[in-house]
Amino acid sequence: MKHINTFRAGAALAAVLGGALLAGCGASDHAGEESNGWPALDARQVTLNHPATYRALDKDHLPKGVAAEADVQEGSVQVARIYVQTKFMEAGDLDMAALGASTMYEFGGTPTDQKDIEVKGTDKARMQSYAFESSGKENSPPRGTQMVGVNVVGMDREREPWVVRITAPKGKIAPADLDKIVKSIRVTG
């Protein structure tokens, strides 16, 4: 399967995670719950909490177009990633934003689930799950590694689109942790 590199491609940043979530299990339909004990990842308009094993990138080291990012590195390989893009495209509504977010993985991934969820601070959001193979490029897992991704897409208070993307090798993140990350997403701007 051909794959668009989802780890560092500036214009084609894509990705997200979750083993059981891809089968329709795992993350709930409600987001925005505080994740006690986990660090916050603040992208100004959107905030979420992540496991302490993820290291947040300094603002000076963020890839182009990324408002906030936290990664898990194993040596030189970036094995898991959570990042937020705000105003990632021109979109007038959630449907258009979700379509735009899905094109980031459409050519290299296989959609596995999509559903509307509630996110604190906005009317609703859409969660998209997909599977893909790592390209092995730019410090990503070895070529052919089975990867999973989750996008949570919504509109902020100014009706600007945002997306939270989570990616990891299949089975690398516990479904309970994925659920906790998704539940912690909140729109703050």
Side-chain angles (χ1 to χ4, degrees):
M1 174 189 315
K2 273 195 150 182
H3 171 259
I4 296 173
N5 185 1
T6 58
F7 284 90
R8 292 280 179 219
L13 293 173
V16 204
L17 40 77
L21 176 64
L22 294 175
C25 314
S28 73
D29 292 345
H30 302 282
E33 297 175 10
E34 298 294 328
S35 293
N36 294 333
W38 279 7
L41 188 62
D42 187 357
R44 283 182 247 152
Q45 286 100 330
V46 179
T47 302
L48 59 94
N49 296 91
H50 60 84
T53 54
Y54 285 70
R55 181 185 57 82
L57 272 62
D58 293 331
K59 301 284 184 203
D60 301 355
H61 296 96
L62 292 173
K64 183 177 179 180
V66 174
E69 179 175 333
D71 302 330
V72 173
Q73 295 276 137
E74 291 181 359
S76 64
V77 176
Q78 182 187 63
V79 295
R81 181 178 186 203
I82 302 169
Y83 67 96
V84 182
Q85 289 179 285
T86 56
K87 301 177 185 177
F88 70 97
M89 63 174 288
E90 294 291 323
D93 60 28
L94 178 60
D95 290 334
M96 186 178 291
L99 181 62
S102 72
T103 61
M104 302 296 240
Y105 67 80
E106 187 172 288
F107 298 110
T110 303
T112 57
D113 191 22
Q114 178 168 274
K115 63 182 176 180
D116 286 346
I117 64 171
E118 294 177 19
V119 170
K120 186 176 181 178
T122 190
D123 296 337
K124 68 178 177 178
R126 188 152 305 143
M127 186 167 64
Q128 305 166 324
S129 304
Y130 55 96
F132 62 99
E133 290 181 4
S134 175
S135 67
K137 296 180 182 177
E138 300 182 22
N139 301 324
S140 64
R143 182 181 176 90
T145 299
Q146 297 298 306
M147 305 287 290
V148 292
V150 174
N151 291 342
V152 178
V153 187
M155 305 295 282
D156 68 16
R157 293 178 184 154
E158 301 298 320
R159 304 302 301 160
E160 295 287 348
W162 55 266
V163 60
V164 173
R165 299 182 191 278
I166 308 162
T167 58
K170 188 173 183 178
K172 191 70 173 176
I173 186 167
D177 285 350
L178 176 62
D179 188 49
K180 195 172 176 181
I181 293 166
V182 170
K183 283 181 177 180
S184 77
I185 299 170
R186 51 215 177 268
V187 175
T188 55

